[in-house]
Amino acid sequence: MTPVLAAAAKNTKNAVGRTCNMKTIVEQADPARPAAEVIQKAAGILRAGGLVAFPTETVYGLGGNGLDEEACQKIYLAKGRPSDNPLILHISEREELAQIVREVSPAAKKLMDAFWPGPLTLIFPKTDIVPMRTTGGLDTVAVRFPSHPVARAIIRAAGVPIAAPSANSSGKPSPTRASHVEFDLTGRIDMIVDGGAAEWGLESTIVDVSGEKAMILRPGAVTKEMLEAVVGEIAVDPAILSKPEGEFRPKAPGMKYTHYAPKAEVWLVRGSREAVAACINRLAEAERNTGKVIGVMATAETEGLYHADAVLSLGSRERPEEIGSNLFKTLRKFDFLGMDKVYAEVFPEDGEGMAIMNRLNKAAGYRAIDAEERGEES
Ligand code: AMP
Ligand code: MG
């Protein structure tokens, strides 16, 4: 981080208005074979009730002892996270599940056999040792068993389940690089373990297996199709792809909050490739004439079609995993470039596309334009 950014981060205030100027250590770790010293240092901080950000295969997590109410309270404060938005507990071996969950249904067992370790979070009835502070007052607990060697080594060495939400300021795009964590949380947490880029780049799939019927609460790398191949037809919380309003409340409390939003106002634009390009170019031209700075979030196939102040490609439409892994980084880049408004293309909602469109809809606050209705040629 540059000295200017470091100074800015030190002077920011946390959710309760307290200036945070604690020293944040940054240590490098080989993502495949992290050095024992770095792991021990991180584990020591966690055991002492401190906070450590570390890479996982989804995004960077902000870890604290998940059985220690004070450590969990520190996580909420460092992120500015609303206290009714529960934390996911991370374990390093399946045996660790028994102390934190009361019951494992046959469907849950099948899903664990198929996808753990990996980017799948399951919701179970919790035991009494899991504090209500961790679960935002719910009697269920979210559990994940990550596959990333650095995450697993830190959790194992700490010897306790680690509560680890994404290591960003609440509401901002999740961090996929240690530099994103530095930008958001320097001065607010004890340590950042830099293990390179997070591979998948979107948060884990969340499936509620605490009741009779399994339900997807948040889409992620483990797709609906992959889950259904293991447990048969699975319900999807309607809040995933449409705006939760009125009585319609998402089952994962965190899904009701604004999320992934850069400073720029994001608009999704639907329609054929040509209609979308024509619509965005026309709107961008008019807005640039009034002095606004306009960005376009495009793909490898379409980036040449646009005229704007910044046109950034998410990658090829042929490779949704590339689009997913670049999404948060690109949203952060638009902020860095000082855009007032960003127009974004949309993607099919099947497979990995469901997770991509869920994050995009939230980043845009569900603002969308239909290019063909606006009279563009298709
Ligand atoms: P994050 O850790 O920031 O990726 O967000 C965790 C997500 O998991 C949030 O949307 C939470 O609301 C959701 N979550 C955590 N625990 C539970 C639970 N017990 N029941 C339902 N959703 C949960
Ligand atoms: Mg998060």
Side-chain angles (χ1 to χ4, degrees):
M1 186 173 345
T2 65
V4 175
L5 290 184
K10 277 199 179 128
N11 286 330
T12 53
K13 304 215 165 149
N14 70 15
V16 290
R18 225 180 279 138
T19 302
C20 289
N21 53 8
M22 63 197 285
K23 179 160 172 44
T24 303
I25 312 164
V26 183
E27 295 273 2
Q28 306 295 317
D30 181 318
R33 282 167 205 274
E37 291 155 46
V38 177
I39 299 300
Q40 287 307 331
K41 192 186 263 185
I45 292 172
L46 290 167
R47 278 196 302 270
L51 304 187
V52 178
F54 54 82
T56 81
E57 68 277 20
T58 58
V59 299
Y60 270 71
L62 175 59
N65 179 349
L67 303 184
D68 172 352
E69 292 210 34
E70 276 180 37
C72 291
Q73 178 66 1
K74 284 187 195 167
I75 293 178
Y76 286 108
L77 289 178
K79 282 179 59 79
R81 180 175 175 111
S83 59
D84 70 344
N85 186 3
L87 307 175
I88 296 175
L89 287 189
H90 291 65
I91 56 176
S92 65
E93 293 301 337
R94 219 160 123 164
E95 293 69 58
E96 294 160 29
L97 196 60
Q99 58 169 329
I100 52 178
V101 317
R102 257 188 298 119
E103 212 181 296
V104 178
S105 66
K109 187 163 177 312
K110 282 190 200 161
L111 292 173
M112 284 156 46
D113 289 343
F115 301 111
W116 277 11
L120 175 67
T121 296
L122 297 173
I123 311 276
F124 300 95
K126 80 173 192 70
T127 60
D128 291 340
I129 69 161
V130 181
M132 284 292 184
R133 174 87 67 200
T134 308
T135 64
L138 299 175
D139 57 10
T140 51
V141 63
V143 185
R144 183 159 111 74
F145 176 3
S147 61
H148 196 294
V150 174
R152 279 182 78 171
I154 290 175
I155 301 163
R156 186 178 312 117
V160 285
I162 298 297
S166 49
N168 52 300
S169 287
S170 196
K172 291 285 152 207
S174 299
T176 57
R177 305 281 186 287
S179 59
H180 302 163
V181 184
E182 283 189 60
F183 188 78
D184 281 16
L185 298 179
T186 293
R188 299 179 180 204
I189 64 176
D190 299 284
M191 182 177 184
I192 299 170
V193 179
D194 180 351
E199 182 197 334
W200 164 244
L202 298 179
E203 304 83 348
S204 59
T205 306
I206 302 180
V207 177
D208 186 350
V209 284
S210 67
E212 297 261 292
K213 285 208 75 166
M215 181 186 263
I216 303 176
L217 306 190
R218 177 173 76 185
V222 178
T223 64
K224 179 170 187 279
E225 294 80 354
M226 289 159 72
L227 295 164
E228 287 186 333
V230 175
V231 289
E233 205 183 320
I234 192 163
V236 178
D237 188 340
I240 283 176
L241 289 170
S242 39
K243 188 176 185 177
E245 275 171 321
E247 292 299 294
F248 170 36
R249 287 251 166 263
K251 292 217 164 37
M255 297 282 279
K256 69 175 176 278
Y257 292 109
T258 311
H259 220 148
Y260 318 122
K263 286 187 216 117
E265 191 176 292
V266 179
W267 284 82
L268 308 187
V269 187
R270 302 177 194 277
S272 71
R273 195 171 286 193
E274 295 72 24
V276 167
C279 176
I280 291 179
N281 285 337
R282 187 175 50 74
L283 292 170
E285 189 187 355
E287 284 164 327
R288 290 169 83 197
N289 286 339
T290 68
K292 285 209 171 128
V293 188
I294 306 295
V296 179
M297 197 150 66
T299 51
E301 289 80 4
T302 59
E303 59 183 329
L305 302 175
Y306 298 104
H307 312 288
D309 297 291
V311 180
L312 303 180
S313 166
L314 288 172
S316 171
R317 285 180 167 271
E318 305 277 305
R319 290 188 293 282
E321 66 288 353
E322 184 176 305
I323 307 277
S325 91
N326 287 327
L327 180 60
F328 290 141
K329 182 179 80 172
T330 308
L331 286 170
R332 282 179 178 262
K333 190 154 182 196
F334 281 120
D335 266 357
F336 184 75
L337 296 173
M339 299 292 117
D340 293 311
K341 207 180 240 193
V342 171
Y343 291 106
E345 295 177 5
V346 299
F347 298 88
E349 288 172 3
D350 58 340
E352 289 105 328
M354 190 190 276
I356 294 167
M357 284 310 298
N358 168 257
R359 305 316 190 267
L360 266 177
N361 268 309
K362 297 205 77 172
Y366 299 87
R367 282 181 291 257
I369 297 170
D370 188 320
E372 272 141 60
E373 271 177 20
R374 293 271 184 123
E376 309 296 340
E377 298 278 306
S378 58

